[in-house]
Every structure is written in C-alpha cells, then in structure tokens.
Amino acid sequence: MGFLFIFRLFFSVGWGQCIYNTDQVPLPNTFEPSYIPKLVQFSNGCTTIVELWASWCGPCRRIAPQIDELLKEYPNLVIHQISADEKAVAMTQFIKKNPLHSPPFRLSRWTINELKTSFAQLGGQFEAAIPYFVVISPDGKVVLELTEPKDLEEIKDYLSKNPPPKKQSQSK
C-alpha cells in the first residue's frame, strides 16, 4: 500500500468523517482472504462490521434476520458480509431469501490459516468458526468479536454506547 494511497484516503475521508459508497470499492466481488483488510480500508472513519458467513451454516441462517433489524436501528453502520461458500450459486440462493446489506462478497478460496492471518491484520482473533463478526470503531480498532453468536445483543450494546457516525455521501 503506497504512501500516496494512504495520503489520499486520509485527506479524502477526513478525520472523524464516515464516507462510504459501495460503488467506489474497487475490489472484485470474489476475492482471497488477503483482501479482507483492504476491503475494510474503504470504510475508514465509519463504524464497520465484517461478517464471515456461509449458506450451509445453520447459525448463519438463524442470525441473518437480526442483521436486518440491527441495520434498521443503526442505518449509519457499514457492514461487509463475506460468504465462505465454495460455489457462487449457493450464496446466490441464500441471498434470495436473506438479502445482504453489502455487495455480495465471496471468498474464491480460503484456508483457516489464511483467514486467521487476514483477521489478525485487522486486530481480530478468528477462532475458525462462523458466523464470525468483527466490529471496528471509526478509528480502525477492533472493539468487539463474536464467534457463533446466538444473537447480536453484544453488538447492539456496543452501538448504543458508541453510535456510528453519520455516513456522508462522496461525489465521484
């Protein structure tokens, strides 16, 4: 990551502003785990959640409606929902019933070690189980991690004490 990119990102976003536009994320929808930290950089200044899920995961299917409720309550929250499904068709069928709140990101391939390394770069401790949620504060620090949660109450509790900054639109 070059100095010029970081310089532009810092000054285009500004300190304390949440500017996020999914149309401006130049990543492919299918990528390797090493792209996860790059994806998070596009929501700098925002309260961000990264969710790792899969269509075959029972707990992922059960918690999906709670994500809808969370985003209704906190519309300024940015979420990156990343599927670990091996095939795109499985992800597509799942999101027909459970619409995503981010572009349909999917890992092209992955290993547990690659996921651990990528989430460690964010400051997380991936425990090799999904659904896995990482909550990142506007200043880029991991403030909460949930592995296989039954509900999102811990995230709601954090957000009630630390409301997400208002998203600002950015012209192209």
Side-chain angles (χ1 to χ4, degrees):
M1 184 90 28
F3 173 77
L4 185 57
F5 172 79
I6 293 169
F7 180 81
R8 283 184 182 162
L9 183 64
F10 178 78
F11 285 101
S12 69
V13 170
W15 191 255
Q17 290 183 349
C18 173
I19 299 173
Y20 180 70
N21 182 341
T22 57
D23 295 336
Q24 295 178 355
V25 176
L27 297 176
N29 285 41
T30 303
F31 50 75
E32 297 178 8
S34 63
Y35 278 77
I36 294 171
K38 294 174 188 174
L39 176 64
V40 170
Q41 289 176 346
F42 290 98
S43 58
N44 277 350
C46 304
T47 301
T48 304
I49 294 178
V50 178
E51 175 197 13
L52 184 61
W53 65 277
S55 64
W56 45 261
C57 165
C60 299
R61 289 192 304 270
R62 283 190 295 278
I63 211 156
Q66 293 181 42
I67 296 167
D68 291 337
E69 294 169 17
L70 183 70
L71 288 166
K72 284 179 187 168
E73 191 171 344
Y74 296 99
N76 290 312
L77 190 60
V78 173
I79 187 163
H80 302 300
Q81 296 173 283
I82 305 168
S83 170
D85 282 304
E86 184 178 339
K87 299 190 186 267
V89 68
M91 178 188 76
T92 302
Q93 289 173 346
F94 178 85
I95 61 178
K96 283 180 183 176
K97 295 179 184 173
N98 304 281
L100 297 183
H101 299 280
S102 75
F105 296 122
R106 186 177 66 82
L107 296 175
S108 55
R109 61 166 192 77
W110 55 270
T111 66
I112 297 297
N113 284 338
E114 287 173 315
L115 290 170
K116 285 183 180 215
T117 298
S118 292
F119 284 110
Q121 289 176 3
L122 298 176
Q125 303 289 319
F126 180 64
E127 295 182 21
I130 57 175
Y132 174 65
F133 292 87
V134 178
V135 180
I136 303 167
S137 66
D139 63 354
K141 293 185 174 52
V142 171
V143 292
L144 185 61
E145 291 179 89
L146 300 175
T147 302
E148 295 183 294
K150 292 184 183 1
D151 59 45
L152 299 178
E153 290 305 314
E154 284 183 70
I155 293 175
K156 288 180 182 179
D157 184 53
Y158 171 79
L159 294 173
S160 71
K161 296 173 184 163
N162 303 279
K166 185 175 181 188
K167 284 188 220 175
Q168 312 222 353
S169 62
Q170 181 178 12
S171 56
K172 290 186 179 184

